[in-house]
Amino acid sequence: MNPTRTERGDVYVYGSAAEVARAAADAFVACVAGVLADRATARVALAGGSTPKAMYRLLASPAYRERVEWKRVEIYFGDERCVPPEHAESNYRMAREALLDHVPLGADRVHRIAGERPPEEAAAQYQQKLVRLGDPPRLDLVLLGMGPDGHTASLFPNDPALDETARWVVGVPKANVAPFVPRVTLTLPTLASCREMLFEVAGTDKRAILTRLFAAENLPANRARSIGETVWLVDRAALPEKSGGQ
Ligand code: 6PG
């Protein structure tokens, strides 16, 4: 499939959310294999929220599991909600249940954000964890979603975290959408520092915000760009009508 090339990256459109999930799993497999052809370890930052769950489940399925050299993958997170790791709203818990528990990844290769700690403390601790990835820390694949207000990771519209350039990880005292708990998020320069940034956006409830994004509005998701490739996988339900949405 040929993408539409835009200033925010390459946009691929699929017929359903399931197709988006499959394309995202394929992109994950390809990106990790490409990195591992050059280097010993591939570093992936996972997205939270609900959209990536289907991709994670696919990656954990027998058909996909064998296609990734999990022993050479390190897992990080783009953001976390400030709740304990077993909490129903924890991004780590979602990723663990859908993916991490089902693939041969050593526990020492999964680097979660300590959502049980106060946000600034968890951010400083995660920043320390990222030190060994370089300055700025270099991730290979960054998975992201977009909220109904245009946020990505836990970078909300008009939040000072958006303009942070010195720190790699920050605490966000107030979330703009549910769950209304403080957050911890990688900052834009940290997210940018990757070979590939992959957005997954699906469902009619994303159509209004995707319309605003395509109109180049100043939204956090429009400011998140990789220094490498940025790719948007969207389904037709989320696509603005004039761009071919249904
Ligand atoms: C979070 C996120 C967030 C998410 C978007 C989309 O912790 O909520 O990481 O940025 O990706 O809000 O969420 P959905 O996939 O649930 O729509």
Side-chain angles (χ1 to χ4, degrees), residues 165-177:
T165 52
R167 287 176 298 165
W168 306 334
V169 192
V170 293
V172 177
K174 211 167 157 283
N176 200 39
V177 298

Side-chain angles (χ1 to χ4, degrees), residues 120-150:
E120 280 307 337
E121 208 179 296
Q125 188 195 49
Y126 209 60
Q127 165 123 358
Q128 274 314 306
K129 217 176 248 201
L130 297 184
V131 164
R132 62 195 194 83
L133 304 192
D135 180 9
R138 194 69 205 265
L139 293 157
D140 295 305
L141 175 61
V142 169
L143 304 178
L144 290 172
M146 177 172 64
D149 57 348

Side-chain angles (χ1 to χ4, degrees), residues 46-52 78-81 89 91 143-149 151-156 177-179 183 200 202 205-206:
L46 299 183
S50 54
T51 313
D79 74 321
E80 185 55 278
R81 290 101 178 253
E89 305 280 17
N91 284 338
L143 304 178
L144 290 172
M146 177 172 64
D149 57 348
H151 80 263
T152 192
S154 283
L155 294 163
F156 297 100
V177 298
R183 312 287 186 99
E200 256 194 294
D205 56 341
K206 294 288 167 68

Side-chain angles (χ1 to χ4, degrees), residues 52-246:
K53 207 185 282 184
M55 173 203 353
Y56 295 165
R57 287 201 176 124
L58 264 181
L59 287 169
S61 71
Y64 274 88
R65 208 169 34 216
E66 315 304 329
R67 295 171 56 194
V68 175
E69 249 189 283
W70 291 105
K71 289 194 165 52
R72 294 171 64 197
V73 174
E74 280 179 10
I75 299 292
Y76 294 85
F77 285 80
D79 74 321
E80 185 55 278
R81 290 101 178 253
C82 286
V83 294
E86 285 310 318
H87 194 280
E89 305 280 17
S90 160
N91 284 338
Y92 167 72
R93 177 178 169 170
M94 184 278 283
R96 185 175 63 69
E97 291 182 346
L99 173 64
L100 306 175
D101 275 354
H102 312 285
V103 292
L105 259 170
D108 58 332
R109 299 215 143 212
V110 177
H111 303 284
R112 72 172 181 88
I113 298 172
E116 67 277 29
R117 312 272 288 265
E120 280 307 337
E121 208 179 296
Q125 188 195 49
Y126 209 60
Q127 165 123 358
Q128 274 314 306
K129 217 176 248 201
L130 297 184
V131 164
R132 62 195 194 83
L133 304 192
D135 180 9
R138 194 69 205 265
L139 293 157
D140 295 305
L141 175 61
V142 169
L143 304 178
L144 290 172
M146 177 172 64
D149 57 348
H151 80 263
T152 192
S154 283
L155 294 163
F156 297 100
N158 306 315
D159 193 287
L162 272 171
D163 299 313
E164 178 68 44
T165 52
R167 287 176 298 165
W168 306 334
V169 192
V170 293
V172 177
K174 211 167 157 283
N176 200 39
V177 298
F180 293 102
V181 293
R183 312 287 186 99
V184 176
T185 188
L186 303 196
T187 55
L188 286 173
T190 318
L191 294 170
S193 217
C194 60
R195 181 182 289 219
E196 185 172 335
M197 179 180 279
L198 188 70
F199 281 89
E200 256 194 294
V201 181
T204 43
D205 56 341
K206 294 288 167 68
R207 182 177 279 189
I209 193 64
L210 206 57
T211 306
R212 291 171 56 194
L213 184 99
F214 285 173
E217 224 182 274
N218 182 12
L219 299 167
N222 243 343
R223 292 175 58 180
R225 294 285 154 82
S226 168
I227 53 166
E229 252 185 279
T230 306
V231 174
W232 287 79
L233 307 179
V234 309
D235 76 346
R236 235 171 248 130
L239 204 63
E241 230 162 285
K242 69 175 184 70
S243 312
Q246 310 174 321

Side-chain angles (χ1 to χ4, degrees), residues 10-21:
D10 290 349
V11 180
Y12 293 83
V13 179
Y14 296 90
S16 66
E19 283 176 44
V20 168

